[in-house]
Amino acid sequence: MATTYADLGEEVVGREREIELLLAALGAGAHVVLEGPPGTGKSTLLRAVAGRQHVPFLFVEGNAELTPGRLVGHFDPAQVLSQGYKPEIFVDGPLIQAMRTGGMLYIEELNRVPEETLNVLLTSMSEGEVHVPRLGAVKAAPGFSFVAAMNPYDSVGTARISGAIYDRTCRIAMGYQTSEAEDRISALRGPTVPEQWRAQVVELIRSTREHSDVRVGSSVRGVIDLLGVASQLAAARSADITDWHLGLDAATVALSGRIRLHESCSRTPEEVVRELYEGIFGREPKEDDGDSSGEA
């Protein structure tokens, strides 16, 4: 029975449309590029789809060190000295593994991969085979698919992907989920906390994506980490998790390293996080307020 988006809705929260589009593209025999900011569930989506379709899933981290040899594979040097170049001593790389088994090859951060390595991928997509020196042609088994992910916001160490890649792939844009979906994800993956306070934390994280000084805001991972840090601080301080100062400390720890400010911004990430925190939880309560929850 074919996998449907309904089968994966509980596993990949708030991604019903993207699941349907991905399954349609893969079902049509297409290769796919997922484009979107970090933390939007690209890897989770692909692992879930591969798992439900019961196909091998080969994960590769894209970076400048991903040479054609690392992607395709190599002959075992020790075995070559004693036996020569025999097919049985070739060590398959992730691309060849995926091609032989009809699996899904997933490359993260495709725009960090060297051009010469991309050229190997182009051959596998266009011809359905790769020619390996001293090994010969390796043909892709039925079901072989190549899926890549890219983060369009981080230009450091990245390069523009050639039109040849886009011409051979279908593109699915993945933005951030809705606030309801992010709240649900936080409830599933974070510690148990008061619902209203968790909703405010979700609102705080979402506000990092809209601040004029912030180039890249936080994903829902920021919510999960903030909830976790706050829970640990509450236990260590014997304080209520909704305590204003405790929440600010947790927000600073969870978010100050995640957000990316514009180069022209003269403020620190900590200052921006505090401003955003005060916008959601109110200004710092005075000692004689008698209520340190920070709720406006």
Side-chain angles (χ1 to χ4, degrees):
M1 181 177 179
T3 303
T4 67
Y5 70 89
D7 297 329
L8 299 170
E10 291 298 316
E11 194 170 347
V12 189
V13 178
R15 288 299 180 198
E16 290 79 7
R17 177 177 176 273
E18 289 83 358
I19 292 169
E20 188 176 32
L21 294 175
L22 177 60
L23 290 173
L26 294 176
H31 303 290
V32 181
V33 169
L34 301 178
E35 189 168 326
T40 49
K42 297 185 290 294
S43 297
T44 301
L45 170 60
L46 290 172
R47 289 182 186 278
V49 168
R52 291 299 182 90
Q53 293 187 326
H54 304 291
V55 299
F57 181 82
L58 287 303
F59 172 85
V60 178
E61 182 178 349
N63 53 51
E65 306 302 318
L66 184 60
T67 62
R70 291 188 176 185
L71 186 65
V72 172
H74 63 278
F75 284 94
D76 186 320
Q79 296 291 331
V80 168
L81 290 175
S82 60
Q83 302 182 45
Y85 290 96
K86 294 183 177 180
E88 57 267 25
I89 64 173
F90 185 80
V91 180
D92 291 350
L95 173 59
I96 299 301
Q97 288 183 52
M99 293 179 69
R100 290 191 198 274
T101 61
M104 178 187 293
L105 174 67
Y106 171 50
I107 297 185
E108 199 169 52
E109 301 293 351
L110 182 66
N111 47 348
R112 295 180 183 274
V113 176
E115 184 176 358
E116 60 178 346
T117 306
L118 293 178
N119 290 336
V120 176
L121 289 170
L122 285 173
T123 303
S124 69
M125 289 188 283
S126 299
E127 309 298 332
E129 67 177 42
V130 172
H131 183 81
V132 183
R134 296 190 175 90
L135 181 66
V138 178
K139 295 184 179 295
F144 165 69
S145 60
F146 164 64
V147 184
M150 295 196 312
N151 168 17
Y153 298 140
D154 186 4
S155 60
V156 179
T158 64
R160 290 182 61 86
I161 294 300
S162 70
I165 290 287
Y166 281 121
D167 188 51
R168 290 164 174 79
T169 57
C170 292
R171 175 180 175 273
I172 300 176
M174 293 182 63
Y176 293 106
Q177 293 101 322
T178 64
S179 58
E180 292 78 11
E182 292 190 330
D183 184 66
R184 187 175 167 197
I185 293 169
S186 305
L188 289 171
R189 302 180 185 174
T192 301
V193 299
E195 290 185 13
Q196 182 179 355
W197 184 76
R198 186 184 66 234
Q200 287 181 292
V201 172
V202 171
E203 186 179 357
L204 169 63
I205 267 60
R206 294 179 68 83
S207 71
T208 66
R209 306 165 196 165
E210 302 173 355
H211 194 282
S212 59
D213 288 334
V214 179
R215 179 171 61 88
V216 182
S218 172
S219 71
V220 69
R221 294 172 186 161
V223 180
I224 298 169
D225 280 355
L226 197 160
L227 298 181
V229 172
S231 295
Q232 293 298 313
L233 287 176
R237 298 177 182 179
S238 298
D240 193 295
I241 198 170
T242 63
D243 176 80
W244 190 94
H245 296 91
L246 184 151
L248 176 60
D249 286 342
T252 302
V253 170
L255 301 180
S256 61
R258 274 191 166 89
I259 62 174
R260 296 288 183 268
L261 305 183
H262 291 290
E263 293 181 1
S264 59
C265 179
S266 61
R267 307 173 68 190
T268 66
E270 289 77 10
E271 291 172 334
V272 173
V273 168
R274 179 167 183 134
E275 178 190 333
L276 292 170
Y277 183 84
E278 290 179 344
I280 304 299
F281 293 94
R283 293 191 175 277
E284 182 177 8
K286 298 178 181 179
E287 292 184 4
D288 58 356
D289 283 348
D291 179 10
S292 62
S293 66
E295 294 184 4

